[in-house]
């Protein structure tokens, strides 16, 4: 699915209930009342679409990129919150009351039925809390598994509460046709959760893996290799990632996304480069060989195997080397004739992973805190360094693939654009969002 196609489908889905409501031809109310209803309808449809924009559906995230999918998910949630917050405020001064003989369809009045209003109020508060928790997840210090469970449960509760509120209190939602529309859309949202939390684990359980090895790369980076148990593994492209569950049930919330650093051409085993950051990653070195594991993937489109540019520029910061190493390994194993250059940044020399394998040719090492007698680049991956490594011709013709800290990718992306690199030749992927 192309980015423009995703945007078109998304816009059609979120505006369909609003357009359908407008087609009823009911007598118009005051502008601020109609605006309130419209914002409420948009907020609810956007919230339901959030379930699909979760990054766990390959047809969406692999086609347009996880960056775009998750960014749309994030921005849509914030927009829905704004619409939802404005929705009740714009009703001020509107006549309210229960059913009246002259207004049996409640087209000109608002309900005062507390049961119909209460579900909207609770959803109103939960939605604000959900967005705040998502934005401040790292600052709040929640374990990822705990946050993910809370996020899913609260989102489901919001959808159910809003369904009741919309159908029982809404001017348009009470129409039989609209009621069915909302039931179907809510069913799709709930169904997406069942796919992620039931169908996918069942599929993973049928194709188990085990830990073949765990090797220390640097003081805080590890390579974990998994081997398939009783099956041939799975097909993936260099540069993709997978959700990994180790030592837990496939139905467990204890799964984490890791980029694959092995090459598809290297065989059925799959390797991941993992940095000690969170609760699970700090225990990677303690995982024993033979431990049962499960994979959900592959995801992502940080891939260059079907591209026609004459050269590939790989720009990595820290553990962001993982997917780029997969690409580099695949190019070497398959005898890819395209030129390739790697820029690899770290803070300290002992954080450099796979140094012997990477070698020195066409590799630029960058350290922000170099040791004495360091011969590589010093500082950060910035515009000046890129100008030293790449020519104007390469900026204009090569494909640039980057993965690393958000700040680094922002600087690199801006400079590439300023140098005339077309946006379709700039590939990036990240796992953290502001």
């Amino acid at each position: 699915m192309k980015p423009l196609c995703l945007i078109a489908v998304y816009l059609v889905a979120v505006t369909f209930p609003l357009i359908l409501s407008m087609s009823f031809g009911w007598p118009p109310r005051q502008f601020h009342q109609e605006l309130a209803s419209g914002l409420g309808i948009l907020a609810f449809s956007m919230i339901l679409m959030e379930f699909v924009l979760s990054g766990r559906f390959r047809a969406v995230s692999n086609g347009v990129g996880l960056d775009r999918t998750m960014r749309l998910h994030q921005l849509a949630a914030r927009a829905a919150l704004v619409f939802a917050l404005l929705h009740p405020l714009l009703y001020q001064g509107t006549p309210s009351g229960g059913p009246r003989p002259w207004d049996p369809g409640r087209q000109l009045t608002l309900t005062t039925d507390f049961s119909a209003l209460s579900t909207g109020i609770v959803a109103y508060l939960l939605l604000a809390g959900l967005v705040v928790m998502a934005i401040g997840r790292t600052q709040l210090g929640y374990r990822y598994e705990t946050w993910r469970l809370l996020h899913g449960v609260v989102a489901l509760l919001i959808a159910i509460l809003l369904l009741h509120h919309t159908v029982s209190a809404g001017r348009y939602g009470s129409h039989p046709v609209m009621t069915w529309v909302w039931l179907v859309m809510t069913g799709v949202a709930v169904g997406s959760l069942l796919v992620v939390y039931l169908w996918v684990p069942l599929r993973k359980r049928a194709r188990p893996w085990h830990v073949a090895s765990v090797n220390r790369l640097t003081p805080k980076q590890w390579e974990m290799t998994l081997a398939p148990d009783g099956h041939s593994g799975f097909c993936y492209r260099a540069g993709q990632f997978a959700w990994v569950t180790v030592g837990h049930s496939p139905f467990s919330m204890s799964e984490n996304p890791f980029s694959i650093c092995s090459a598809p051409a290297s065989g059925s085993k799959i390797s991941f480069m993992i940095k000690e950051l969170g609760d699970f990653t700090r225990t990677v070195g303690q995982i024993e060989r033979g431990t049962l594991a499960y994979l959900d993937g592959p995801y992502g489109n940080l891939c260059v195997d079907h591209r026609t540019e004459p050269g590939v520029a790989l720009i990595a910061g820290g553990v962001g080397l993982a997917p780029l190493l997969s690409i580099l390994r695949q190019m070497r194993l398959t005898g890819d004739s395209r030129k390739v250059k790697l820029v690899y940044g770290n803070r300290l020399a002992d954080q450099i992973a796979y140094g012997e394998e990477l070698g020195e040719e066409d590799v630029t090492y960058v350290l922000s805190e170099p040791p004495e007698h360091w011969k590589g680049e010093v500082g950060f991956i910035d515009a000046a360094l890129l100008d030293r490594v790449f020519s104007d011709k390469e900026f204009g013709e090569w494909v640039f693939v980057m993965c690393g800290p958000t700040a680094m990718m922002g600087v690199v992306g801006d400079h590439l654009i300023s140098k005339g690199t077309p946006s379709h030749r700039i590939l990036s992927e990240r796992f953290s969002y502001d």
Side-chain angles (χ1 to χ4, degrees):
M1 184 178 291
K2 300 297 183 181
L4 291 179
C5 183
L6 171 66
I7 295 173
V9 171
Y10 177 81
L11 290 176
V12 169
V14 299
T15 58
F16 175 72
L18 180 62
I19 295 172
L20 183 60
S21 299
M22 294 170 60
S23 70
F24 293 155
W26 287 350
R29 299 172 297 183
Q30 296 181 40
F31 174 76
H32 69 89
Q33 298 168 17
E34 292 296 333
L35 180 59
S37 292
L39 290 177
I41 291 171
L42 282 176
F44 188 22
S45 58
M46 291 173 72
I47 289 168
L48 294 178
M49 285 299 295
E50 288 292 273
F51 289 82
V52 180
L53 295 175
S54 63
R56 296 305 293 267
F57 296 95
R58 290 199 292 270
V60 178
S61 60
N62 285 9
V64 302
L66 186 68
D67 267 11
R68 293 186 179 97
T69 304
M70 293 307 299
R71 191 59 173 167
L72 179 57
H73 174 82
Q74 181 188 66
L75 295 177
R78 297 178 185 183
L81 175 60
V82 172
F83 293 164
L85 294 177
L86 292 173
H87 168 65
L89 300 179
L90 290 171
Y91 277 127
Q92 291 182 0
T94 303
S96 61
R100 299 178 180 178
W102 50 269
D103 189 21
R106 207 172 58 247
Q107 295 182 24
L108 300 176
T109 60
L110 297 179
T111 182
T112 54
D113 181 3
F114 182 73
S115 64
L117 296 176
S118 61
T119 49
I121 295 171
V122 175
Y124 184 95
L125 298 174
L126 287 177
L127 178 61
L130 185 70
V131 174
V132 170
M133 284 177 57
I135 295 174
R137 178 173 67 87
T138 55
Q139 290 79 6
L140 292 173
Y142 281 104
R143 289 184 48 148
Y144 172 75
E145 296 82 1
T146 303
W147 174 84
R148 184 184 170 206
L149 177 61
L150 284 174
H151 195 75
V153 170
V154 174
L156 177 60
L157 183 58
I158 289 172
I160 294 173
L161 290 170
L162 286 180
L163 175 63
H164 175 267
H165 173 71
T166 301
V167 171
S168 59
R171 179 197 193 199
Y172 299 102
S174 59
H175 189 284
V177 174
M178 284 301 301
T179 297
W180 275 108
V181 168
W182 289 125
L183 284 171
V184 170
M185 291 185 67
T186 305
V188 171
V190 174
S192 69
L193 286 183
L194 294 178
V195 169
V196 172
Y197 294 108
L198 182 60
W199 168 246
V200 170
L202 285 172
R203 189 177 60 192
K204 289 193 296 184
R205 188 172 65 174
R207 298 174 66 83
W209 298 68
H210 70 268
V211 176
S213 63
V214 177
N215 300 313
R216 185 188 291 275
L217 299 172
T218 71
K220 290 191 175 183
Q221 294 182 110
W222 301 82
E223 181 186 76
M224 180 176 67
T225 300
L226 305 182
D229 275 348
H231 58 92
S232 59
F234 70 9
C235 296
Y236 67 96
R237 297 165 63 193
Q240 292 189 298
F241 72 95
W243 289 82
V244 183
T245 303
V246 179
H248 295 277
S249 162
F251 295 93
S252 169
M253 291 289 167
S254 300
E255 63 172 355
N256 296 271
F258 295 120
S259 292
I260 301 170
C261 66
S262 54
S266 64
S268 60
K269 292 183 179 180
I270 295 182
S271 298
F272 301 91
M273 180 181 174
I274 301 172
K275 183 177 181 179
E276 295 181 16
L277 290 172
D279 298 297
F280 168 75
T281 56
R282 282 195 290 264
T283 66
V284 170
Q286 303 168 23
I287 297 174
E288 298 181 357
R289 292 182 58 185
T291 301
L292 197 61
Y294 299 95
L295 294 182
D296 176 26
Y299 292 91
N301 67 344
L302 203 67
C303 308
V304 301
D305 45 354
H306 297 306
R307 301 187 68 97
T308 59
E309 290 87 355
V312 179
L314 306 173
I315 303 174
V319 74
L321 174 69
L324 309 192
L325 179 61
S326 177
I327 293 172
L328 183 60
R329 284 172 164 174
Q330 181 72 0
M331 293 180 70
R332 289 176 174 178
L333 287 173
T334 58
D336 197 309
S337 60
R338 288 174 293 181
K339 295 181 180 180
V340 60
K341 290 183 181 180
L342 169 66
V343 178
Y344 180 25
N346 285 285
R347 185 170 63 89
L348 303 172
D350 65 4
Q351 294 174 336
I352 298 175
Y354 302 102
E356 292 185 5
E357 177 182 349
L358 294 175
E360 300 290 336
E361 185 178 358
D362 293 322
V363 179
T364 301
Y365 296 95
V366 187
L367 295 180
S368 59
E369 298 179 18
E372 191 175 357
H373 307 304
W374 169 252
K375 296 181 180 179
E377 293 281 350
V378 176
F380 298 94
I381 300 177
D382 55 16
L385 184 144
L386 294 176
D387 286 341
R388 291 196 294 273
V389 175
F390 301 103
S391 66
D392 289 341
K393 184 180 172 86
E394 290 167 344
F395 278 123
E397 296 181 353
W398 284 24
V399 58
F400 285 76
V401 190
M402 56 182 173
C403 188
T406 302
M408 180 208 82
M409 292 198 291
V411 169
V412 172
D414 290 344
H415 186 62
L416 291 177
I417 294 295
S418 72
K419 296 293 288 187
T421 306
S423 59
H424 68 273
R425 289 183 182 157
I426 303 174
L427 309 181
S428 66
E429 199 154 73
R430 68 194 77 194
F431 294 108
S432 62
Y433 302 87
D434 58 27

